[in-house]
Amino acid sequence: MLKYDSIKTADDEFVLHTYNRMPALFVQGAGCSLWDNRGNEYLDMLAGIAVCQLGHCHPAVVAAITRQAQQLIHTSNLLLTAPQAQLAKRLTEISGMERVFFANDGATANEAALKIAKKHGNKKRPDGDYQIITLHRSFHGRTMGALSATGQRKYQRPFEPLVPGFVHVTADDLQELRDAFSHKTAAVLLEPIMGEGGILDLSTEYLQEAERLCREHDALLILDEVQCGMGRSGKWFTFQHHGVRPDVLILAKGLGGGLPIGAVVVAQKATSVLEPGDHGTTFGGNPLVCAAALAVIDTLDHQDLLENAERVGGFLRDALAKLPGVVEVRGKGLMLGAVLDKPVARDIVRACFDRKLIINATDELNLRFVPPLIVTEEQIAKAIGILAEAMGVETPALTPISTRTSTAVKPAHDFLSIDDMTDGQLEEVLDLAAYSKQRRALAPSVIQAVEGRTVAMVFEKQSLRTRVSFETAIRELGGHPLHLGKDSIAMGQREPIKDVASNLSRWCSLIVARLYWQRDIVELAEHATVPVVNALTEWEHPCQALADMQTIREVFGQDKVKITYVGDGNNVARSLAKLATRLGYPFTICGPENFRLEPIEGVRQTTNLEEGVAGAHVVYTDVWVSMGDEHEQEHRLKVFEPYQVNGRLMSMAEKDAIFLHCLPARRGFEVTADVIDGPQSRTDDQAENRLHAQKALLQKIMGL
């Protein structure tokens, strides 16, 4: 075991003494917790100073780093790599801006932004007497340009002379800001929420006036969101609260989820300032850090963590305001500062640390709280209790915000039927599947399993597409698939379903079951303590329906085209009918009257081919004999013969109609070879989309 004393001695002897470290040796992290070498658990409300947006060692970030490290780590910016381009695209999408330059961290991102401002200033004032306006109490980094922009003398004094050309004004003083602007102004550099300055959030009026003055004086509006960006304020970026649009946006910290990265996002006239040779970096935007950043953005988006930051941030704000000795609470979302009535902030930080709570003080009067965006109200309540004890005051009574609202969202757990997800959750899975497919096409990869994510695949009925697509999805998400065939498990025969469910729950993180009977998977889910996913039963095939809908949307976009299912009203028809009608698609089943589905709202069922297929943009069929119906084969083949999907039937549909089949297919029976192998067929796309739909479903269920 690592020993604190020996590591502390090495740190004292070999590392420059630029930090005052807390007295513990940290060796492990998960979520909002850190552990020292003695096994003590600490509740982390600092997140590496607003860096670990997803908490420590989030599975999505770990999986992305593992995958990318096995594929490509670094090339330099002389060579093109996929993650950097993908990340730039995502950043422009969520910011509404246009281009990105990647740096190593917040300071170097500030330096790049200042070079943009300086070159713009030289164009305005060729003699070089331009100015950049910044704020007193601001902090932009410790490199010389960023340090010169910083508005705190305690950081600047030892390193004078500073870079000239900066004018400092008081935050939220509109008149002083107006007076500072002139024909010499090249840019104004602002932190929408000042971090090191004591969590001071600028007013909307002030930011909008800064934007107006920049437009009037041909100056650049530069916003430093190194600390307050990437969802921490409750929106992707703090400027989005204020109705302004910067020319330059500076990001770092939370973007990398723990890995060092900086980004300068530009728009409007700032996009054309720098030219080849003006600026560069060896490590900025390398594949490893960009892959991690993509995982951060994906997870923030698909796990609704911006909403969590706003909601739990509101709970934290209310709790801090109730503490005796706190005179003001500042900030937004999960970037909050508590102003004390006495200069004891640093003493309180140390007292909290002794009680296994990690917070921070920006000065003697201001406590800073920047926890991971995954933090819960329960963890906040625990932190407030420790803080109150450290302050020597009574813990205030807290009312969880979740109990004040009636709009509870059904969590994703078991997925035994289309009915087990809300419309919104189904849309999220489809959106994530489409994005996952795009990402995989640009940078396909295979990774080794990551410990702690074993998925049991209980398959009574064998399958090519289901098994391969699920196993690939699990591996690409950093998990380990464990295939259990009928002979291996004999569920319900050699041992009860209850015992199988309870034992697998102890070993595995999730169960994927492909069973003959719906009643068995329902019983499995009742006794399992981990999520159960229906990979097929005689009643439903919900994963296939998700892949089918993804395929339909790839062809027709968001148009709610008519879908006609021809043939047996089986499990495939039932799941797709439920999904399609839930999402607003007209759905018709065309087949023999005795083989229809039970009534489903929005589903039309008919025996008339011309009536059923007319106007259809999607024609779907499945095998006529399957899943225990083999004893009826002769009868079924005779009854379904008029409903064979052939060229004549396809001609009844729209000219741009596509053909779908979940496979395997029996050519010459339910479909002719010229249709399934022809230009209207999208069966290979359906099969591929099984991977992406199931991968998205697993991400949703497992919180990856």
Side-chain angles (χ1 to χ4, degrees):
M1 184 179 73
L2 291 173
K3 294 184 177 180
Y4 171 79
D5 290 342
S6 60
I7 298 299
K8 180 69 167 64
T9 299
D11 185 69
D12 289 342
E13 185 174 352
F14 300 112
V15 178
L16 275 176
H17 295 172
T18 55
Y19 306 104
N20 294 315
R21 303 189 198 275
M22 302 301 279
L25 173 60
F26 290 96
V27 297
Q28 187 173 342
C32 296
S33 294
L34 287 168
W35 286 265
D36 66 19
N37 65 314
R38 295 183 175 90
N40 296 309
E41 182 179 356
Y42 294 72
L43 180 57
D44 184 8
M45 293 289 108
L46 186 60
I49 314 180
V51 168
C52 302
Q53 306 294 75
L54 305 182
H56 298 282
C57 302
H58 191 283
V61 177
V62 171
I65 293 171
T66 303
R67 176 173 62 246
Q68 192 62 50
Q70 292 174 337
Q71 182 173 310
L72 184 65
I73 295 177
H74 179 76
T75 62
S76 88
N77 282 299
L78 298 177
L79 304 178
L80 177 65
T81 58
Q84 185 179 125
Q86 293 169 329
L87 178 57
K89 182 174 185 291
R90 286 290 277 148
L91 286 173
T92 60
E93 289 171 345
I94 62 178
S95 67
M97 299 177 74
E98 296 168 30
R99 293 182 181 274
V100 185
F101 175 85
F102 289 104
N104 300 329
D105 54 22
T108 54
N110 266 276
E111 293 288 348
L114 290 172
K115 288 180 76 171
I116 292 173
K118 280 179 162 290
K119 188 174 180 184
H120 177 67
N122 279 322
K123 288 182 179 178
K124 286 184 63 177
R125 307 285 296 177
D127 55 0
D129 65 338
Y130 56 84
Q131 296 174 337
I132 299 172
I133 299 172
T134 66
L135 298 180
H136 293 302
R137 299 182 69 176
S138 63
F139 183 86
H140 299 286
R142 297 178 186 269
T143 52
M144 284 307 298
L147 184 64
S148 302
T150 292
Q152 300 192 52
R153 293 292 296 148
K154 65 181 179 180
Y155 295 120
Q156 296 173 324
R157 195 172 291 110
F159 306 103
E160 294 176 328
L162 302 173
V163 176
F166 292 96
V167 175
H168 293 87
V169 298
T170 303
D172 268 357
D173 188 322
L174 288 169
Q175 192 56 52
E176 189 175 351
L177 178 66
R178 294 179 186 123
D179 292 343
F181 264 86
S182 71
H183 60 281
K184 294 184 177 182
T185 304
V188 58
L189 172 59
L190 306 173
E191 295 171 273
I193 304 177
M194 299 165 67
E196 299 297 325
I199 314 297
L200 295 167
D201 41 337
L202 300 182
S203 68
T204 296
E205 184 181 13
Y206 190 80
L207 287 167
Q208 290 182 350
E209 180 66 0
E211 182 182 32
R212 186 191 69 79
L213 291 167
C214 283
R215 303 297 173 251
E216 180 181 322
H217 293 275
D218 188 28
L220 299 178
L221 176 61
I222 305 176
L223 297 184
D224 180 346
E225 295 213 23
V226 165
Q227 191 166 153
C228 63
M230 296 313 303
R232 184 157 292 282
S233 70
K235 293 185 181 292
W236 281 113
F237 307 107
T238 306
F239 76 80
Q240 293 168 334
H241 289 277
H242 300 286
V244 299
R245 188 186 188 214
D247 300 293
V248 180
L249 176 67
I250 306 170
L251 305 173
K253 287 189 179 290
L255 176 59
L259 291 191
I261 187 173
V264 181
V265 191
V266 296
Q268 304 167 132
K269 58 191 171 191
T271 60
S272 59
V273 174
L274 294 182
E275 300 170 317
D278 280 351
H279 196 51
T281 171
T282 298
F283 291 105
N286 76 49
L288 190 67
V289 298
C290 287
L294 280 165
V296 170
I297 293 175
D298 290 351
T299 307
L300 289 173
D301 192 6
H302 294 291
Q303 295 298 315
D304 297 326
L305 292 179
L306 276 64
E307 179 185 338
N308 192 68
E310 183 175 10
R311 180 177 58 82
V312 180
F315 180 65
L316 175 57
R317 174 184 287 276
D318 291 348
L320 290 171
K322 292 179 180 179
L323 281 171
V326 173
V327 297
E328 185 182 3
V329 181
R330 301 188 294 223
K332 283 184 172 60
L334 285 172
M335 184 176 177
L336 295 178
V339 185
L340 305 179
D341 60 358
K342 298 176 183 177
V344 293
R346 299 193 192 282
D347 293 336
I348 291 173
V349 168
R350 182 59 182 264
C352 285
F353 189 83
D354 292 341
R355 292 165 172 79
K356 309 300 182 288
L357 172 66
I358 300 173
I359 60 173
N360 176 250
T362 59
D363 54 40
E364 290 296 342
L365 283 172
N366 290 279
L367 296 174
R368 172 167 51 179
F369 300 85
V370 283
L373 304 193
I374 62 170
V375 70
T376 64
E377 292 179 8
E378 291 76 15
Q379 289 169 322
I380 293 295
K382 179 180 178 181
I384 292 296
I386 297 172
L387 176 60
E389 182 182 333
M391 295 173 67
V393 301
E394 186 176 348
T395 302
L398 304 178
T399 303
I401 288 179
S402 58
T403 65
R404 306 175 200 170
T405 175
S406 60
T407 57
V409 178
K410 181 181 177 182
H413 187 64
D414 297 325
F415 186 61
L416 313 184
S417 163
I418 292 297
D419 302 327
D420 289 331
M421 281 194 171
T422 65
D423 294 358
Q425 289 170 334
L426 291 168
E427 291 282 9
E428 286 177 8
V429 170
L430 290 168
D431 289 345
L432 183 56
Y435 182 64
S436 174
K437 183 175 183 178
Q438 179 190 35
R439 284 271 306 279
R440 192 174 187 270
L442 290 171
S445 58
V446 178
I447 66 171
Q448 297 297 316
V450 175
E451 184 179 1
R453 292 286 178 178
T454 299
V455 178
M457 297 178 56
V458 181
F459 276 39
E460 285 185 341
K461 190 173 188 292
Q462 294 305 308
S463 168
L464 166 66
R465 275 155 292 277
T466 303
R467 178 174 178 179
V468 173
S469 58
F470 260 115
E471 287 196 4
T472 303
I474 293 163
R475 290 187 185 279
E476 291 192 0
L477 289 174
H480 176 67
L482 179 64
H483 181 264
L484 299 167
K486 186 175 183 180
D487 294 337
S488 303
I489 200 164
M491 188 171 63
Q493 300 174 21
R494 192 165 61 228
E495 57 181 307
I497 293 175
K498 176 182 182 297
D499 293 347
V500 173
S502 60
N503 283 197
L504 288 178
S505 297
R506 297 293 184 95
W507 301 321
C508 304
S509 300
L510 183 139
I511 300 170
V512 175
R514 182 179 169 91
L515 309 180
Y516 281 101
W517 307 115
Q518 184 78 6
R519 63 174 181 267
D520 290 345
I521 200 168
V522 170
E523 184 178 353
L524 184 70
E526 286 175 353
H527 296 292
T529 57
V530 298
V532 176
V533 173
N534 183 354
L536 176 138
T537 65
E538 99 293 353
W539 190 251
E540 282 221 29
H541 200 349
C543 295
Q544 179 66 56
L546 290 171
D548 296 338
M549 184 55 66
Q550 183 180 355
T551 307
I552 292 168
R553 289 188 169 185
E554 286 174 350
V555 178
F556 298 107
Q558 293 297 318
D559 292 345
K560 305 300 184 182
V561 296
K562 178 182 176 180
I563 303 168
T564 295
Y565 185 96
V566 180
D568 185 12
N570 60 10
N571 53 352
V572 174
R574 180 175 291 105
S575 290
L576 184 57
K578 288 182 178 181
L579 177 60
T581 53
R582 289 270 300 277
L583 300 183
Y585 289 79
F587 196 94
T588 298
I589 294 178
C590 189
E593 188 170 354
N594 292 338
F595 293 89
R596 292 181 177 180
L597 291 178
E598 71 282 2
I600 297 175
E601 185 177 356
V603 175
R604 188 167 182 278
Q605 304 192 64
T606 179
T607 59
N608 188 304
L609 273 175
E610 291 189 3
E611 180 185 337
V613 178
H617 289 270
V618 180
V619 177
Y620 198 127
T621 194
D622 190 18
V623 291
W624 293 340
V625 181
S626 182
M627 290 297 296
D629 296 325
E630 290 80 3
H631 64 287
E632 300 178 353
Q633 176 167 317
E634 184 176 347
H635 172 65
R636 280 175 163 265
L637 294 180
K638 183 177 181 180
V639 170
F640 285 110
E641 186 176 1
Y643 297 94
Q644 181 188 69
V645 178
N646 50 34
R648 184 184 68 84
L649 186 147
M650 291 299 296
S651 69
M652 301 177 189
E654 294 295 309
K655 290 183 179 180
D656 62 349
I658 61 172
F659 171 75
L660 301 181
H661 191 305
C662 74
L663 302 180
R666 298 181 66 184
R667 288 166 174 80
F669 289 87
E670 73 271 7
V671 62
T672 56
D674 63 305
V675 171
I676 194 170
D677 298 325
Q680 292 175 288
S681 177
R682 296 292 186 274
T683 55
D684 286 341
D685 295 330
Q686 283 177 274
E688 180 188 354
N689 287 340
R690 288 287 299 275
L691 166 64
H692 307 298
Q694 288 160 185
K695 189 175 179 180
L697 178 65
L698 293 175
Q699 287 179 272
K700 181 71 177 174
I701 291 174
M702 297 176 74
L704 295 176

